[in-house]
mmCIF file of all heavy atoms in Angstrom:
data_model
loop_
_atom_site.group_PDB
_atom_site.id
_atom_site.type_symbol
_atom_site.label_atom_id
_atom_site.label_comp_id
_atom_site.label_asym_id
_atom_site.label_seq_id
_atom_site.Cartn_x
_atom_site.Cartn_y
_atom_site.Cartn_z
ATOM 1 N N ARG A 1 -10.966 -9.650 -77.024
ATOM 2 C CA ARG A 1 -12.138 -8.933 -76.579
ATOM 3 C C ARG A 1 -12.026 -7.397 -76.888
ATOM 4 O O ARG A 1 -11.042 -6.929 -77.255
ATOM 5 C CB ARG A 1 -12.350 -9.135 -75.074
ATOM 6 C CG ARG A 1 -11.151 -8.668 -74.247
ATOM 7 C CD ARG A 1 -11.508 -8.619 -72.730
ATOM 8 N NE ARG A 1 -11.900 -9.938 -72.212
ATOM 9 C CZ ARG A 1 -11.046 -10.783 -71.687
ATOM 10 N NH1 ARG A 1 -9.772 -10.509 -71.564
ATOM 11 N NH2 ARG A 1 -11.504 -11.937 -71.225
ATOM 12 N N GLN A 2 -13.235 -6.761 -76.731
ATOM 13 C CA GLN A 2 -13.312 -5.351 -77.014
ATOM 14 C C GLN A 2 -12.324 -4.519 -76.248
ATOM 15 O O GLN A 2 -12.111 -4.749 -75.043
ATOM 16 C CB GLN A 2 -14.775 -4.884 -76.721
ATOM 17 C CG GLN A 2 -14.995 -3.373 -77.149
ATOM 18 C CD GLN A 2 -16.488 -3.084 -77.080
ATOM 19 O OE1 GLN A 2 -17.356 -3.869 -77.475
ATOM 20 N NE2 GLN A 2 -16.764 -1.848 -76.567
ATOM 21 N N GLY A 3 -11.733 -3.536 -76.914
ATOM 22 C CA GLY A 3 -10.748 -2.656 -76.272
ATOM 23 C C GLY A 3 -9.323 -2.957 -76.642
ATOM 24 O O GLY A 3 -8.462 -2.119 -76.491
ATOM 25 N N MET A 4 -9.018 -4.121 -77.177
ATOM 26 C CA MET A 4 -7.682 -4.461 -77.538
ATOM 27 C C MET A 4 -7.274 -3.673 -78.786
ATOM 28 O O MET A 4 -8.101 -3.507 -79.778
ATOM 29 C CB MET A 4 -7.530 -5.957 -77.827
ATOM 30 C CG MET A 4 -7.640 -6.802 -76.636
ATOM 31 S SD MET A 4 -7.398 -8.576 -77.036
ATOM 32 C CE MET A 4 -7.225 -9.292 -75.394
ATOM 33 N N THR A 5 -6.033 -3.167 -78.802
ATOM 34 C CA THR A 5 -5.568 -2.329 -79.876
ATOM 35 C C THR A 5 -4.143 -2.695 -80.402
ATOM 36 O O THR A 5 -3.519 -1.953 -81.106
ATOM 37 C CB THR A 5 -5.579 -0.856 -79.476
ATOM 38 O OG1 THR A 5 -4.710 -0.734 -78.344
ATOM 39 C CG2 THR A 5 -6.925 -0.411 -79.109
ATOM 40 N N ASP A 6 -3.673 -3.853 -79.928
ATOM 41 C CA ASP A 6 -2.217 -4.039 -80.101
ATOM 42 C C ASP A 6 -1.868 -5.447 -80.634
ATOM 43 O O ASP A 6 -1.095 -6.096 -80.072
ATOM 44 C CB ASP A 6 -1.424 -3.806 -78.853
ATOM 45 C CG ASP A 6 -1.942 -4.789 -77.699
ATOM 46 O OD1 ASP A 6 -3.018 -5.320 -77.863
ATOM 47 O OD2 ASP A 6 -1.165 -4.904 -76.781
ATOM 48 N N GLY A 7 -2.497 -5.918 -81.692
ATOM 49 C CA GLY A 7 -2.102 -7.299 -82.114
ATOM 50 C C GLY A 7 -2.509 -7.736 -83.481
ATOM 51 O O GLY A 7 -3.613 -7.424 -83.934
ATOM 52 N N PRO A 8 -1.588 -8.489 -84.171
ATOM 53 C CA PRO A 8 -1.972 -9.045 -85.466
ATOM 54 C C PRO A 8 -3.041 -10.164 -85.302
ATOM 55 O O PRO A 8 -3.663 -10.507 -86.258
ATOM 56 C CB PRO A 8 -0.628 -9.637 -85.897
ATOM 57 C CG PRO A 8 0.194 -9.843 -84.678
ATOM 58 C CD PRO A 8 -0.225 -8.723 -83.793
ATOM 59 N N ASP A 9 -3.165 -10.710 -84.063
ATOM 60 C CA ASP A 9 -4.172 -11.711 -83.886
ATOM 61 C C ASP A 9 -5.577 -11.065 -83.991
ATOM 62 O O ASP A 9 -6.577 -11.714 -84.482
ATOM 63 C CB ASP A 9 -4.097 -12.436 -82.502
ATOM 64 C CG ASP A 9 -3.876 -11.494 -81.338
ATOM 65 O OD1 ASP A 9 -3.702 -10.289 -81.623
ATOM 66 O OD2 ASP A 9 -3.936 -11.931 -80.208
ATOM 67 N N VAL A 10 -5.769 -9.780 -83.583
ATOM 68 C CA VAL A 10 -7.066 -9.124 -83.754
ATOM 69 C C VAL A 10 -7.297 -8.933 -85.256
ATOM 70 O O VAL A 10 -8.385 -9.165 -85.751
ATOM 71 C CB VAL A 10 -7.024 -7.770 -83.050
ATOM 72 C CG1 VAL A 10 -8.323 -6.989 -83.338
ATOM 73 C CG2 VAL A 10 -6.922 -8.004 -81.511
ATOM 74 N N ARG A 11 -6.261 -8.441 -85.989
ATOM 75 C CA ARG A 11 -6.402 -8.245 -87.453
ATOM 76 C C ARG A 11 -6.864 -9.493 -88.149
ATOM 77 O O ARG A 11 -7.743 -9.455 -88.982
ATOM 78 C CB ARG A 11 -5.104 -7.712 -88.013
ATOM 79 C CG ARG A 11 -5.159 -7.433 -89.532
ATOM 80 C CD ARG A 11 -3.825 -7.041 -90.075
ATOM 81 N NE ARG A 11 -3.434 -5.739 -89.535
ATOM 82 C CZ ARG A 11 -3.816 -4.613 -90.038
ATOM 83 N NH1 ARG A 11 -4.569 -4.607 -91.159
ATOM 84 N NH2 ARG A 11 -3.365 -3.432 -89.526
ATOM 85 N N GLN A 12 -6.229 -10.639 -87.794
ATOM 86 C CA GLN A 12 -6.557 -11.867 -88.552
ATOM 87 C C GLN A 12 -7.964 -12.358 -88.171
ATOM 88 O O GLN A 12 -8.612 -13.035 -88.998
ATOM 89 C CB GLN A 12 -5.502 -13.002 -88.283
ATOM 90 C CG GLN A 12 -5.528 -13.608 -86.979
ATOM 91 C CD GLN A 12 -4.454 -14.695 -86.814
ATOM 92 O OE1 GLN A 12 -3.571 -14.936 -87.640
ATOM 93 N NE2 GLN A 12 -4.528 -15.516 -85.710
ATOM 94 N N LEU A 13 -8.404 -12.100 -86.906
ATOM 95 C CA LEU A 13 -9.819 -12.459 -86.604
ATOM 96 C C LEU A 13 -10.794 -11.589 -87.403
ATOM 97 O O LEU A 13 -11.730 -12.128 -87.979
ATOM 98 C CB LEU A 13 -10.030 -12.150 -85.083
ATOM 99 C CG LEU A 13 -11.516 -12.319 -84.642
ATOM 100 C CD1 LEU A 13 -11.982 -13.775 -84.770
ATOM 101 C CD2 LEU A 13 -11.607 -11.879 -83.165
ATOM 102 N N GLU A 14 -10.467 -10.330 -87.492
ATOM 103 C CA GLU A 14 -11.349 -9.444 -88.242
ATOM 104 C C GLU A 14 -11.395 -9.836 -89.779
ATOM 105 O O GLU A 14 -12.408 -9.763 -90.447
ATOM 106 C CB GLU A 14 -10.961 -7.981 -88.084
ATOM 107 C CG GLU A 14 -11.206 -7.485 -86.642
ATOM 108 C CD GLU A 14 -10.663 -6.130 -86.428
ATOM 109 O OE1 GLU A 14 -9.728 -5.642 -87.161
ATOM 110 O OE2 GLU A 14 -11.169 -5.357 -85.530
ATOM 111 N N ARG A 15 -10.201 -10.197 -90.276
ATOM 112 C CA ARG A 15 -10.126 -10.590 -91.631
ATOM 113 C C ARG A 15 -10.868 -11.864 -91.931
ATOM 114 O O ARG A 15 -11.596 -12.013 -92.913
ATOM 115 C CB ARG A 15 -8.685 -10.801 -92.060
ATOM 116 C CG ARG A 15 -8.497 -11.133 -93.541
ATOM 117 C CD ARG A 15 -7.030 -11.352 -93.857
ATOM 118 N NE ARG A 15 -6.239 -10.151 -93.690
ATOM 119 C CZ ARG A 15 -5.264 -9.932 -92.882
ATOM 120 N NH1 ARG A 15 -4.887 -10.939 -91.971
ATOM 121 N NH2 ARG A 15 -4.626 -8.796 -92.833
ATOM 122 N N ALA A 16 -10.824 -12.838 -90.956
ATOM 123 C CA ALA A 16 -11.596 -14.107 -91.075
ATOM 124 C C ALA A 16 -13.153 -13.777 -91.004
ATOM 125 O O ALA A 16 -13.910 -14.380 -91.762
ATOM 126 C CB ALA A 16 -11.180 -15.063 -90.076
ATOM 127 N N LEU A 17 -13.517 -12.945 -90.056
ATOM 128 C CA LEU A 17 -14.948 -12.647 -89.946
ATOM 129 C C LEU A 17 -15.455 -12.010 -91.205
ATOM 130 O O LEU A 17 -16.557 -12.283 -91.643
ATOM 131 C CB LEU A 17 -15.175 -11.681 -88.726
ATOM 132 C CG LEU A 17 -14.903 -12.376 -87.378
ATOM 133 C CD1 LEU A 17 -14.946 -11.297 -86.261
ATOM 134 C CD2 LEU A 17 -16.006 -13.366 -87.088
ATOM 135 N N THR A 18 -14.641 -11.123 -91.858
ATOM 136 C CA THR A 18 -15.094 -10.456 -93.081
ATOM 137 C C THR A 18 -15.208 -11.505 -94.209
ATOM 138 O O THR A 18 -16.202 -11.510 -94.922
ATOM 139 C CB THR A 18 -14.007 -9.455 -93.486
ATOM 140 O OG1 THR A 18 -13.925 -8.437 -92.522
ATOM 141 C CG2 THR A 18 -14.351 -8.872 -94.832
ATOM 142 N N ALA A 19 -14.288 -12.443 -94.282
ATOM 143 C CA ALA A 19 -14.314 -13.509 -95.315
ATOM 144 C C ALA A 19 -15.604 -14.366 -95.065
ATOM 145 O O ALA A 19 -16.154 -14.969 -96.097
ATOM 146 C CB ALA A 19 -13.127 -14.356 -95.253
ATOM 147 N N LEU A 20 -16.053 -14.528 -93.798
ATOM 148 C CA LEU A 20 -17.243 -15.366 -93.546
ATOM 149 C C LEU A 20 -18.482 -14.598 -93.624
ATOM 150 O O LEU A 20 -19.604 -15.117 -93.294
ATOM 151 C CB LEU A 20 -17.059 -16.008 -92.142
ATOM 152 C CG LEU A 20 -15.868 -17.011 -92.065
ATOM 153 C CD1 LEU A 20 -15.648 -17.472 -90.617
ATOM 154 C CD2 LEU A 20 -16.175 -18.262 -92.925
ATOM 155 N N GLY A 21 -18.458 -13.295 -94.005
ATOM 156 C CA GLY A 21 -19.657 -12.532 -94.101
ATOM 157 C C GLY A 21 -20.187 -11.801 -92.945
ATOM 158 O O GLY A 21 -21.381 -11.432 -92.900
ATOM 159 N N HIS A 22 -19.367 -11.650 -91.948
ATOM 160 C CA HIS A 22 -19.771 -11.074 -90.617
ATOM 161 C C HIS A 22 -19.049 -9.735 -90.364
ATOM 162 O O HIS A 22 -18.691 -9.464 -89.271
ATOM 163 C CB HIS A 22 -19.547 -11.976 -89.491
ATOM 164 C CG HIS A 22 -20.306 -13.320 -89.630
ATOM 165 N ND1 HIS A 22 -21.679 -13.363 -89.509
ATOM 166 C CD2 HIS A 22 -19.856 -14.517 -89.828
ATOM 167 C CE1 HIS A 22 -22.077 -14.575 -89.612
ATOM 168 N NE2 HIS A 22 -21.001 -15.379 -89.834
ATOM 169 N N ASP A 23 -18.737 -8.919 -91.458
ATOM 170 C CA ASP A 23 -18.016 -7.718 -91.245
ATOM 171 C C ASP A 23 -18.842 -6.563 -90.746
ATOM 172 O O ASP A 23 -18.416 -5.854 -89.858
ATOM 173 C CB ASP A 23 -17.343 -7.323 -92.594
ATOM 174 C CG ASP A 23 -18.324 -7.329 -93.742
ATOM 175 O OD1 ASP A 23 -19.377 -7.920 -93.660
ATOM 176 O OD2 ASP A 23 -18.021 -6.674 -94.766
ATOM 177 N N GLY A 24 -20.039 -6.356 -91.271
ATOM 178 C CA GLY A 24 -20.873 -5.233 -90.843
ATOM 179 C C GLY A 24 -20.199 -3.918 -91.004
ATOM 180 O O GLY A 24 -19.680 -3.609 -92.073
ATOM 181 N N ALA A 25 -20.092 -3.146 -89.923
ATOM 182 C CA ALA A 25 -19.374 -1.829 -89.935
ATOM 183 C C ALA A 25 -17.947 -1.951 -89.463
ATOM 184 O O ALA A 25 -17.287 -0.942 -89.258
ATOM 185 C CB ALA A 25 -20.157 -0.863 -89.074
ATOM 186 N N MET A 26 -17.476 -3.164 -89.328
ATOM 187 C CA MET A 26 -16.155 -3.427 -88.752
ATOM 188 C C MET A 26 -15.073 -3.060 -89.812
ATOM 189 O O MET A 26 -15.199 -3.233 -91.000
ATOM 190 C CB MET A 26 -16.025 -4.869 -88.419
ATOM 191 C CG MET A 26 -14.687 -5.314 -87.889
ATOM 192 S SD MET A 26 -14.677 -7.076 -87.518
ATOM 193 C CE MET A 26 -14.847 -7.729 -89.191
#
């Protein structure tokens, strides 16, 4: 959820969202 700053699990979620076309300004 929003506010987390300490995990590779956040990075892999953002990478997957980017690959699926949902990156926006992320």
Side-chain angles (χ1 to χ4, degrees):
R1 56 170 60 93
Q2 186 171 319
M4 290 182 169
T5 60
D6 60 343
D9 50 350
V10 174
R11 179 185 294 275
Q12 74 179 9
L13 172 64
E14 292 175 335
R15 185 180 293 115
L17 290 170
T18 299
L20 294 171
H22 299 291
D23 50 341
M26 178 183 65

